[in-house]
Amino acid sequence: MALFLLSAAHAFNTRAFATERVIAAAGGMASLPCLDGDRVGRKAGYRKLALSWSFERTGMGKVPLLMMGSDGVVKRGLCETSGRTRVSGERTDAGDYSLTARDLRSTDAGVYSCEVRHGSVYLERAVELHVVQVTTDAVGLPLEGSKLNLLCEMAEPLTGARYSWHRGGNMVTPTGQRVWTGDSGRKLHFSTLKPEDQGDWECHVTFEMLSVNAHYQLKVLGFLSSPQDVPTLYARPDSSATLFLALMPEVPCQPQTCGWLRGQGQDAQPVGNGSDHARTERHPGSLSLTLTPALASDRGFFTGYVNVSGHWIERIVRLELIEVMASQVGPVLVGSSLSINVSMGYAAGVDSVEWQHENGSVGQAGRSFREEGGGLYIPQVTAAHAGNWTCTLYWHGEIVGEISYLLEITALDYQAAEAAPSSRRITLVVALSLLLVFIVGASLIIFRKFMSRRRNFPALDVTLTTVEASVKKV
């Protein structure tokens, strides 16, 4: 009987191999090898091929995944995993019956069996698939300021596997205070989540000659800015000022969960709820407060907050009022110099300013103006400088305020004004005025003398007539 079984095995040329291991990351792909090295390059006997793959995991019996008959048609099993697997018919010609699984899940971990009947050859292969997945112990999305654990898990842990955490290509060095590892490196613990913790975290697993990287995109509900950042918004009095805070898009920002307070700390009072002066707007990813108009009494701090399930998160925004001050009041005389400065009570929230004329070509040739200490200096005002000037305030590349200034020029002939200096023009006006006064005075003197002579002539005529009458009588 033993001789019969030995001869039967020899007749079918059965080949069995040691079980192989494959490690892959959840969401990725894995190639489970099933190779017949003796058939590499031989296509004879392909029509006699019968291939089947089956799957077995702890607590579940063996279930078929797919079968390929002698006609090359693939038939699939009923389990969900079967729809995410495939065998390349082209590679089977060369004795490669490997199975490719995509969109891996933790439930795909287990033992996969490959059985091949190829003419007189019977091939058996077994492959252990281990799926690495990063999970979290948070219920829903974690909140800023809360605790969190990231877990690097496998359904069937491998004894002797080594774990490490990476971010941005660099190994994470536990601080021992806010972030540290545990459970032989499988666990990454955050004692207090911060906005900067958002992003891609990578668990690196190595076992013998195998390695895999499993990724996790961490999102933190809350504001996108750091609690230490206190941005400042600059606005002109009586203008419209909008305070803005960026939120994670998933934050449930509703009137009962987020809003604004005037001030900070325990003395802060609600603001922006149904007021014509202050209006709160809530959108996915943002929380804003618009003051129309911005009054002198609005200068100071405002607190934007999010309150989710009793967990309070807040950020502070500062409002400052600014004014434009010019060295000349009213229309500016052509040819004179002009300095324009921005006056603000708190300058620490601005690291750079930029002045721009409504006509962008002004000053491009020869720079007819220059910026000095945040202000604008025009050494010689010309007609081209007239119009609106805008000063933009920046903090770390972000716009934190804008203010405009309307430069008006005196209503003189610009060409004549530029040809004649202002001192010569004033001298000419004074001289003409004095000449006019002299002419008027001389005219009055001549007129008075003329009138006085006319009053003396009638008396002389009467005297002569009387004399002539007396002579005739004699």
Side-chain angles (χ1 to χ4, degrees):
M1 184 67 178
L3 291 174
F4 173 77
L5 293 175
L6 180 62
S7 61
H10 179 73
F12 278 99
N13 193 13
T14 301
R15 297 194 184 99
F17 299 87
T19 300
E20 292 193 34
R21 288 189 176 94
V22 172
I23 304 178
M29 299 179 62
S31 179
L32 310 182
C34 183
L35 303 173
D36 180 9
D38 291 346
R39 285 195 48 79
V40 175
R42 293 191 294 129
K43 296 185 178 181
Y46 168 73
R47 294 179 180 177
K48 300 178 183 179
L49 172 66
L51 167 65
S52 68
W53 275 93
S54 59
F55 168 60
E56 182 180 6
R57 68 167 177 259
T58 304
M60 186 182 73
K62 183 180 289 188
V63 295
L65 289 176
L66 58 80
M67 294 176 290
M68 179 182 290
S70 58
D71 56 359
V73 177
V74 176
K75 297 180 180 179
R76 298 188 177 277
L78 299 178
C79 69
E80 188 274 335
T81 305
S82 175
R84 294 181 283 107
T85 59
R86 65 181 296 269
V87 171
S88 173
E90 297 178 356
R91 294 202 304 263
T92 57
D93 295 344
D96 184 354
Y97 313 106
S98 300
L99 180 74
T100 300
R102 58 178 175 81
D103 191 20
L104 290 174
R105 302 168 187 177
S106 59
T107 54
D108 294 332
V111 178
Y112 290 74
S113 299
C114 169
E115 296 182 9
V116 181
R117 286 182 176 86
H118 215 147
S120 62
V121 176
Y122 179 71
L123 176 66
E124 291 182 355
R125 297 293 297 265
V127 182
E128 285 186 11
L129 175 62
H130 297 268
V131 179
V132 180
Q133 182 179 21
V134 179
T135 61
T136 175
D137 59 357
V139 178
L141 290 176
L143 294 171
E144 175 189 333
S146 63
K147 297 180 180 180
L148 179 72
N149 289 318
L150 294 182
L151 308 173
C152 196
E153 298 181 317
M154 283 188 286
E156 297 291 337
L158 287 172
T159 303
R162 299 184 300 275
Y163 301 84
S164 60
W165 291 89
H166 300 255
R167 191 179 190 193
N170 300 316
M171 182 179 293
V172 176
T173 302
T175 61
Q177 297 179 354
R178 195 179 71 85
V179 182
W180 68 86
T181 59
D183 195 6
S184 300
R186 291 177 56 248
K187 181 186 295 184
L188 185 65
H189 179 76
F190 299 85
S191 62
T192 305
L193 279 176
K194 294 185 177 182
E196 53 265 32
D197 295 329
Q198 297 180 115
D200 181 64
W201 293 86
E202 177 184 330
C203 175
H204 184 69
V205 182
T206 58
F207 178 77
E208 297 178 350
M209 300 299 292
L210 304 175
S211 65
V212 67
N213 297 321
H215 295 263
Y216 185 83
Q217 286 292 331
L218 177 59
K219 294 183 178 181
V220 181
L221 281 181
F223 296 95
L224 295 181
S225 60
S226 172
Q228 287 73 32
D229 295 337
V230 181
T232 303
L233 176 71
Y234 293 86
R236 196 168 193 166
D238 299 325
S239 66
S240 178
T242 300
L243 309 178
F244 178 87
L245 287 171
L247 293 166
M248 284 291 296
E250 294 82 1
V251 173
C253 191
Q254 303 295 331
Q256 63 272 19
T257 60
C258 63
W260 288 89
L261 302 174
R262 178 67 173 94
Q264 57 180 335
Q266 297 181 351
D267 297 332
Q269 299 296 322
V271 67
N273 299 322
S275 171
D276 293 335
H277 170 59
R279 184 180 72 257
T280 299
E281 294 186 1
R282 303 169 179 88
H283 300 286
S286 68
L287 174 65
S288 62
L289 177 68
T290 301
L291 304 173
T292 308
L295 305 175
S297 58
D298 294 327
R299 181 178 178 270
F301 296 98
F302 291 80
T303 302
Y305 68 87
V306 174
N307 187 6
V308 180
S309 301
H311 189 86
W312 182 275
I313 311 168
E314 66 180 32
R315 291 293 185 274
I316 308 298
V317 181
R318 183 171 189 159
L319 176 64
E320 283 293 331
L321 302 181
I322 53 178
E323 291 278 10
V324 171
M325 303 183 65
S327 58
Q328 296 190 40
V329 179
V332 178
L333 194 63
V334 172
S336 63
S337 62
L338 178 67
S339 295
I340 307 173
N341 295 293
V342 178
S343 173
M344 61 186 79
Y346 178 79
V350 177
D351 56 14
S352 64
V353 300
E354 181 183 26
W355 285 89
Q356 184 70 32
H357 188 264
E358 61 182 14
N359 180 7
S361 63
V362 172
Q364 289 184 358
R367 294 291 291 176
S368 62
F369 65 91
R370 61 177 178 265
E371 298 174 3
E372 295 182 349
L376 178 69
Y377 177 70
I378 305 176
Q380 188 173 9
V381 176
T382 66
H385 293 116
N388 277 308
W389 289 83
T390 301
C391 179
T392 305
L393 312 179
Y394 294 93
W395 173 252
H396 293 173
E398 298 290 333
I399 297 177
V400 295
E402 285 186 348
I403 190 168
S404 61
Y405 173 76
L406 178 60
L407 176 56
E408 296 178 327
I409 307 298
T410 52
L412 297 174
D413 186 289
Y414 296 121
Q415 294 182 352
E418 291 176 350
S422 57
S423 58
R424 292 176 57 188
R425 185 167 59 252
I426 294 173
T427 304
L428 180 61
V429 171
V430 172
L432 291 175
S433 300
L434 292 175
L435 178 61
L436 180 60
V437 171
F438 176 78
I439 294 174
V440 172
S443 300
L444 289 175
I445 294 173
I446 294 172
F447 177 75
R448 288 179 179 178
K449 288 183 177 181
F450 174 77
M451 292 301 296
S452 61
R453 289 178 180 177
R454 288 192 60 183
R455 282 196 300 267
N456 295 331
F457 288 153
L460 180 59
D461 292 340
V462 170
T463 304
L464 292 174
T465 304
T466 304
V467 172
E468 290 179 356
S470 302
V471 171
K472 289 180 179 179
K473 265 184 178 184
V474 175

